Amino acid sequence: MYVKRAAEIAQEPVPAGVGTTRQVLIGAEQGPHFAMRRFIMQPGGGIPLHTNTVEHEQFVLRGQAAMTIGDAAFEVKAGDVVFIPAGTPHSYQVKGGESFEFLCMVPNLPDQMEILEGSKGSSG
């Protein structure tokens, strides 16, 4: 299938996240090389510091969040583009009263997420 409506794709809770859901917009069944996912984090939500074994390319659709990527802290908002290399610690914390939403593209490879010690909350 080449075209689908995002509103018709189920949202699933992100177990490591707080107030966070994910939609798999394009999965391995449609795209052999990359997956496209949409993350939605409610006000007060986020994902704690963690690593993934695959890189992430992200585009922020709406809202604002404080992000940590490696040793750097960032305030990201709608229109920002984010790159997270494989194995790099990163986290999200929603800022303000609006949901934080972003598209996340990842290679269709085995991915393991590891919450880093001392972190509380969610995953990405």
Side-chain angles (χ1 to χ4, degrees):
M1 180 182 308
Y2 293 104
V3 178
K4 20 183 184 177
R5 306 245 352 123
E8 296 171 1
I9 298 171
Q11 292 183 29
E12 54 193 39
V14 174
V18 172
T20 301
T21 58
R22 176 181 83 161
Q23 292 175 292
V24 178
L25 302 175
I26 298 173
E29 318 77 50
Q30 296 93 32
H33 302 290
F34 288 90
M36 178 188 291
R37 306 162 318 161
R38 177 180 174 210
F39 284 80
I40 303 165
M41 299 178 182
Q42 298 304 317
I47 298 174
L49 194 64
H50 65 284
T51 60
N52 293 87
T53 53
V54 299
E55 66 188 62
H56 293 27
E57 288 87 11
Q58 300 176 342
F59 180 76
V60 180
L61 299 169
R62 68 181 290 192
Q64 299 179 53
M67 283 190 73
T68 300
I69 304 172
D71 294 329
F74 300 92
E75 294 285 329
V76 296
K77 62 184 184 309
D80 287 346
V81 175
V82 177
F83 175 70
I84 304 167
T88 302
H90 57 288
S91 65
Y92 308 81
Q93 181 61 52
V94 178
K95 296 294 182 188
E98 154 177 54
S99 65
F100 177 65
E101 300 181 21
F102 61 92
L103 295 177
C104 181
M105 281 61 72
V106 294
N108 279 330
L109 298 170
D111 182 23
Q112 185 168 347
M113 178 182 166
E114 180 182 349
I115 300 295
L116 299 178
E117 204 172 320
S119 294
K120 297 178 182 175
S122 25
S123 124

